[in-house]
Amino acid sequence: MHSSSSLCLGAVLALLSLSPSVRAAEPAAPPKPPAQAPATDAAEKLVGIWSAAPVYGPEVQGELTVFREGTTWRARISGYEATGQVEKGALSLTLPGGQGTFRATVAADGQVLRGHWVQPRVMVGGVQYATPVELRSLQKGVWRGTVTPWADRFTLYLVVYKKPDGAIAAYLRDPEKGFGRQFALNVSVQGSAVKLVDPRGPTTFEGTLDERSGRLSVPIFFLGNLQFTRRERDQAVGLYPRTPAPGAYVYRPPVAEQDGWATASLSDVGMDPAPIQALMQRLLDTEVGPGPAQRVQGVLIARKGKLVLEEYFYGYDKEKLHDLRSASKTLAPVLVGTAIQKGAKLSAQTPVYSMFPGYQPKAPADARKAGLTLEHLMTMTSGFDCDDDNEETPGNENNLQSQEGDWYAYTLDLPMGRAPGETQAVYCSAGINLVGGVVRNATGTWLPEHFERTVATPLQFRHYAMNLMPDGEAYLGGGLYARPRDALKLGQLYLSGGVWNGRRVVSKQWVERSTARHSVMSPERTYGYAWWRHELRVGERVYAEYEAGGNGGQYVMVIPELELTVMFTGGNYGQFNLWKAFREELLPRYILAAVRR
């Protein structure tokens, strides 16, 4: 539906109607062309909400059928066919043109093929993802299941508004990536040409308005020429906390599903609903505008092992995967723990370079590298010249991710900036990612498969998307997409000493060692094995808390004394002062304060 407040293009100044006698007395003059309306007046027609939602793929998805004919295997999906073979129990089938690969392990009983679908690189983000797939036997030699890859789509809102001084301005927002928040745009229109100019920098977007079709076409960087159409408030899913506007918040306990979570009400587990209701109302009342504001996209609370709150905002729901960003770094030590649990010859003191026997250094080795252990990687005390807050360091995450070759070898080649094991930690995604290489080499297993077997299956994950490096191995420096209900299980697993619903996943000793203090990030923040550690004050009480944390406000928080796990998801990417308040203000003021017994 288009806005009824649209104005016609431009405004024409009317010629004065002169009396016949006056016109007769004056010499004839050529008619004047209609005057062009001021750009600001013409731009008023754009005031309102505009939305573009391009879909870039992937092309291949849906029903996947696999056939076995002797030693040959065939796959059929979306009109494509591929052939492959099983080597050492591992099946790999790749479609022509790199349209996708199915990798699976063949079960001994032949009833199930459980594996992953690896899709082509996505447009938004530029990486590949591996998503879980389970095929079940239809008859001897035939299996079928459904491929649900990561959806390569992007929703972007252009909100045009009139400022108090009468100027027409705009801002960009998207529900997922935090794209465009840095732009404050001035809007002008000349004829069908639309110009969006950021007065603070060199960015200018030039587009075209087609009033007949109601489309605004604007090229936006790598996204291409986006086709914006109008949206009403009640249609703008993701732009506002809830669509349509919900009014007063009403608490409802979460619904139990077959995903391992028992559910209860807040009062059932000794929590006062009033502070939680106040927090939810505050989130619903968040003003949407060009300025910065907290964008909490999800809040989940579990107490005494039961899920008691599950609320989503800005277009999210319980099934929509959320980018965990660096909160998924914590999975790297978890995978070490699960590998040890399964019998891998690993420990925190395992020398890192010994786990890469095929590595050939490009330069003479620094003697300090011989002392680098797995624990140093997990505690951000590797000593590598690597600092994600300093782009001049060669190990900075942006420098790592610009490499097309082997990211493990690139990290092993990094120069040393200090000796391994110093108390002061330096945040280094490359080092945490290297933990994945140690696990892979110790287990001989592709990391997505190891994750599926030892974490996702026992924790009853429903769906996820694991981002991959250029060589097809999983990247453990951050970026896993997961359902918040599943991600919260990681906190509950550690709160329960390594057990989920009676099943041992990691040892109690590994949990205790992982959450202990090993290094210092800042005077107020210490670090375990990729777990951040804090102390939170509520009145006269101080509670110990540890968390997995990621850019934008992705938190899995554990407060052992209160038998409490909390998850926030957020969209405040690059706005640390906004999302750190999720822990420093929202958690103690509303959630911890709600605990009564």
Side-chain angles (χ1 to χ4, degrees):
M1 181 183 296
H2 300 294
S3 171
S4 60
S5 62
S6 296
L7 301 177
C8 61
L9 178 61
V12 179
L13 296 177
L15 297 175
L16 291 176
S17 295
L18 301 177
S19 67
S21 59
V22 173
R23 285 203 303 267
E26 294 178 346
K32 295 182 179 180
Q36 191 75 34
T40 297
D41 294 340
E44 285 193 47
K45 71 170 66 63
L46 297 178
V47 170
I49 302 168
W50 297 79
S51 173
V55 177
Y56 302 104
E59 177 182 343
V60 176
Q61 55 189 297
E63 184 181 272
L64 170 65
T65 305
V66 171
F67 307 86
R68 182 181 63 196
E69 300 165 345
T71 59
T72 300
W73 293 71
R74 292 187 299 112
R76 183 180 297 158
I77 181 173
S78 297
Y80 288 88
E81 290 200 10
T83 59
Q85 291 183 324
V86 173
E87 295 184 8
K88 297 180 180 180
L91 171 64
S92 180
L93 295 153
T94 300
L95 299 185
Q99 287 296 320
T101 297
F102 178 57
R103 297 181 59 162
T105 301
V106 181
D109 62 7
Q111 293 301 303
V112 176
L113 293 181
R114 184 172 287 111
H116 291 81
W117 182 261
V118 179
Q119 67 194 81
R121 287 191 180 191
V122 298
M123 171 71 75
V124 183
V127 300
Q128 289 182 291
Y129 289 97
T131 49
V133 181
E134 182 177 274
L135 309 185
R136 294 197 169 272
S137 176
L138 296 179
Q139 62 187 53
K140 186 176 180 180
V142 182
W143 295 262
R144 182 170 290 163
T146 302
V147 169
T148 308
W150 172 242
D152 190 9
R153 62 177 299 158
F154 187 76
T155 300
L156 185 63
Y157 286 101
L158 173 69
V159 182
V160 183
Y161 65 100
K162 191 170 186 177
K163 297 167 67 174
D165 64 2
I168 305 301
Y171 60 90
L172 293 168
R173 289 290 183 273
D174 78 274
E176 298 173 354
K177 302 288 186 182
F179 178 85
R181 64 170 180 80
Q182 67 269 35
F183 300 121
L185 304 168
N186 292 335
V187 182
S188 62
V189 174
Q190 293 288 345
S192 63
V194 177
K195 185 175 290 188
L196 310 173
V197 180
D198 187 344
R200 303 168 302 176
T203 303
T204 297
F205 303 111
E206 297 187 12
T208 304
L209 175 65
D210 184 339
E211 288 193 274
R212 179 173 297 179
S213 67
R215 293 185 179 275
L216 175 61
S217 302
V218 184
I220 305 284
F221 299 133
F222 66 93
L223 297 171
N225 192 25
L226 300 189
Q227 302 295 313
F228 289 87
T229 56
R230 286 193 180 275
R231 291 288 184 272
E232 299 292 343
R233 162 66 177 87
D234 290 350
Q235 298 171 313
V237 175
L239 181 61
Y240 297 90
R242 289 273 171 86
T243 304
Y249 173 76
V250 177
Y251 169 71
R252 296 179 180 87
V255 176
E257 300 182 2
Q258 294 182 346
D259 66 351
W261 275 115
T263 62
S265 70
L266 289 163
S267 57
D268 287 340
V269 297
M271 296 185 71
D272 181 0
I276 304 301
Q277 290 172 334
L279 172 58
M280 296 302 106
Q281 192 64 57
R282 168 175 166 169
L283 300 181
L284 290 175
D285 292 340
T286 300
E287 292 290 334
V288 174
Q294 286 182 337
R295 290 176 61 86
V296 176
Q297 295 168 329
V299 185
L300 293 85
I301 300 174
R303 184 152 198 251
K304 300 181 179 180
K306 295 180 179 179
L307 187 66
V308 295
L309 183 83
E310 181 184 24
E311 297 289 354
Y312 301 100
F313 309 92
Y314 296 100
Y316 282 86
D317 58 41
K318 66 181 181 64
E319 295 303 317
K320 188 171 184 178
L321 304 185
H322 203 290
D323 187 353
L324 301 183
R325 296 292 178 104
S326 287
S328 56
K329 278 183 169 68
T330 306
L331 282 175
V334 173
L335 293 180
V336 175
T338 61
I340 294 171
Q341 187 71 18
K342 294 293 184 181
K345 295 180 179 180
L346 282 178
S347 76
Q349 303 312 315
T350 296
V352 170
Y353 282 82
S354 70
M355 298 303 298
F356 295 87
Y359 164 66
Q360 297 293 326
K362 291 183 177 180
D366 188 314
R368 292 175 290 183
K369 290 186 175 182
L372 177 64
T373 67
L374 189 54
E375 182 168 272
H376 296 146
L377 295 180
M378 295 186 295
T379 58
M380 300 285 188
T381 60
S382 67
F384 285 135
D385 190 8
C386 171
D387 184 349
D388 286 355
D389 293 325
N390 180 0
E391 292 192 0
E392 299 301 317
T393 61
N396 177 275
E397 188 174 27
N398 290 335
N399 294 327
L400 172 72
Q401 294 187 356
S402 68
Q403 308 301 313
E404 285 297 327
D406 184 338
W407 289 5
Y408 293 150
Y410 179 84
T411 304
L412 293 168
D413 279 334
L414 289 174
M416 300 298 286
R418 64 198 68 81
E422 293 184 359
T423 302
Q424 181 61 52
V426 179
Y427 197 78
C428 174
S429 297
I432 286 289
N433 181 57
L434 191 59
V435 172
V438 174
V439 172
R440 181 197 65 184
N441 294 344
T443 62
T445 305
W446 186 45
L447 289 175
E449 183 180 339
H450 179 66
F451 172 73
E452 174 67 25
R453 287 181 182 176
T454 69
V455 176
T457 295
L459 265 60
Q460 298 167 269
F461 275 38
R462 182 169 294 171
H463 196 56
Y464 58 85
M466 204 166 197
N467 52 324
L468 308 179
M469 296 184 288
D471 65 357
E473 188 53 273
Y475 178 66
L476 297 189
L480 177 80
Y481 278 81
R483 294 194 319 148
R485 278 179 77 119
D486 290 338
L488 183 63
K489 295 172 184 175
L490 182 61
Q492 189 64 43
L493 173 71
Y494 271 55
L495 178 62
S496 302
V499 174
W500 171 256
N501 280 341
R503 181 173 178 176
R504 171 68 62 186
V505 178
V506 295
S507 71
K508 183 177 180 182
Q509 293 77 12
W510 187 255
V511 169
E512 291 172 347
R513 190 176 184 94
S514 297
T515 56
R517 170 176 168 162
H518 290 282
S519 58
V520 177
M521 282 288 184
S522 68
E524 300 81 22
R525 310 183 78 192
T526 58
Y527 207 66
Y529 291 172
W531 287 100
W532 296 89
R533 304 171 74 257
H534 304 91
E535 291 186 343
L536 302 176
R537 182 176 296 276
V538 181
E540 298 300 316
R541 298 293 302 273
V542 176
Y543 297 101
E545 178 258 7
Y546 58 87
E547 69 190 32
N551 189 3
Q554 325 316 321
Y555 282 119
V556 177
M557 302 162 158
V558 182
I559 303 89
E561 184 178 345
L562 298 178
E563 298 181 84
L564 187 69
T565 57
V566 177
M567 181 160 196
F568 284 93
T569 58
N572 290 115
Y573 302 109
Q575 298 171 297
F576 180 69
N577 287 334
L578 288 177
W579 60 264
K580 74 175 182 178
F582 297 4
R583 175 195 349 102
E584 295 181 357
E585 182 200 359
L586 304 187
L587 177 64
R589 179 178 175 182
Y590 296 100
I591 298 175
L592 301 189
V595 177
R596 294 290 182 259
R597 56 179 170 80

